[in-house]
Amino acid sequence: MRRISRLPLASDVEGAMAAAQARLNSEIAGLLPEKWAKTAGAAWDHHDSGAARSTLHAMAGPRQCRMYCCDSHGDGIDHFRPKSTYPGYTFSWPNLLLSCTECGRYKGKEFPVDDQSQPLLIDPTVDDPWAHLDFDPETGNLVARYDPVHGCFSDRGEEPVRQSRLDRREAVARGMQKALRQLHERVERALADPRTTADRLIADLHQIDEYGLVVWCFVGSGRHDTPLATLREQLPSLWAQCVSLIG
Ligand SMILES: [Zn+2]
């Protein structure tokens, strides 16, 4: 999972979505909640979502990273807050993400919240996924991050792992392990080349980073593994510059 910057929609597209939302709101106003799903679904199906989809594709980057797992299989627009229970978010641009087929199917209408009604799922356009998730290089799985201060695993890590089954997605796991090997190879070349600059190294790593693992390598638990730990010990100044570039 990787952090994604949300791009703005063109103003005419934003306007058309606002108008569609206003129409839906007036339809929903007189309905019982059990009718919301059908009404919001029909409104969404009749709306031309092509421009929103194109903008989501642009946000997904050259490797077309799907936003809950970084797989690239499938092309669904997912409503982070499901339109069946939150019809007021049906045409809300910040509520739309690009989902792979599996994540879309597993998520369905589920939207767990905490006791403050805040989402327990990760929106990668808002949240830093690595604040809640960890990566297990042995299995290639994403797992909930352990918080040593509170002595427990992050709720906001456990829920997305459970819901999107991130701890048993073989294709994603293999892809992440391969991506990590490529990142490690690039770091090993940097260790062997005294001309390496932090700018060049981080730019190269981002270029090959399909799964957002660069952040995990430098500020997550990946920093404890070879060759990252070696880079930190042997070239502490370069290491510090890399960490500040990742921010
Ligand atoms: Zn997915």
Side-chain angles (χ1 to χ4, degrees):
M1 209 171 190
R2 61 188 304 163
R3 189 85 164 84
I4 290 165
S5 298
R6 186 171 289 279
L7 298 171
L9 282 180
S11 58
D12 59 329
V13 178
E14 190 88 66
M17 290 197 18
Q21 186 67 58
R23 284 195 298 276
L24 175 59
N25 289 349
S26 61
E27 281 184 68
I28 291 287
L31 295 178
L32 294 170
E34 53 263 38
K35 304 281 189 190
W36 290 355
K38 194 173 174 189
T39 306
W44 177 253
D45 289 345
H46 285 101
H47 183 77
D48 178 2
S49 58
R53 185 182 299 275
S54 302
T55 310
L56 288 168
H57 278 294
M59 288 159 54
R63 294 176 191 273
Q64 287 299 298
C65 165
R66 298 299 178 255
M67 295 171 181
Y68 294 117
C69 71
C70 286
D71 197 358
S72 55
H73 174 228
D75 188 30
I77 295 182
D78 184 64
H79 289 77
F80 183 62
R81 288 178 185 266
K83 55 189 180 303
S84 53
T85 39
Y86 297 89
Y89 288 80
T90 301
F91 297 97
S92 163
W93 172 232
N95 194 45
L96 304 185
L97 294 168
L98 205 58
S99 165
C100 79
T101 306
E102 285 79 5
C103 288
R105 188 170 70 238
Y106 295 143
K107 183 165 175 281
K109 295 175 183 173
E110 264 197 78
F111 191 69
V113 295
D114 66 14
D115 52 13
Q116 306 292 315
S117 300
Q118 294 303 303
L120 285 172
L121 300 180
I122 296 171
D123 175 350
T125 66
V126 173
D127 306 304
D128 170 12
W130 296 115
H132 311 291
L133 295 173
D134 204 348
F135 174 63
D136 179 356
E138 295 294 319
T139 60
N141 289 333
L142 286 167
V143 293
R145 183 173 173 171
Y146 186 72
D147 175 358
V149 175
H150 296 99
C152 60
F153 290 94
S154 162
D155 286 347
R156 297 199 60 198
E158 287 193 317
E159 277 299 318
V161 167
R162 180 192 63 77
Q163 193 187 57
S164 290
R165 306 184 192 185
L166 296 174
D167 55 351
R168 63 190 103 155
R169 295 278 294 277
E170 282 190 27
V172 174
R174 283 197 302 274
M176 291 192 81
Q177 286 176 316
K178 181 180 172 194
L180 183 62
R181 281 197 299 276
Q182 290 172 338
L183 295 175
H184 281 179
E185 283 165 16
R186 180 63 188 87
V187 171
E188 280 161 6
R189 289 208 302 282
L191 277 165
D193 181 356
R195 296 165 302 173
T196 298
T197 64
D199 285 343
R200 184 72 260 158
L201 176 58
I202 294 299
D204 285 356
L205 291 173
H206 278 310
Q207 185 76 29
I208 56 176
D209 183 24
E210 292 183 51
Y211 290 88
L213 282 168
V214 169
V215 176
W216 177 82
C217 282
F218 281 86
V219 297
S221 54
R223 70 188 188 283
H224 301 303
D225 297 340
T226 306
L228 278 307
T230 312
L231 185 75
R232 192 170 72 245
E233 285 158 21
Q234 294 189 359
L235 300 168
S237 169
L238 180 70
W239 174 268
Q241 289 167 38
C242 289
V243 170
S244 73
L245 283 171
I246 284 170

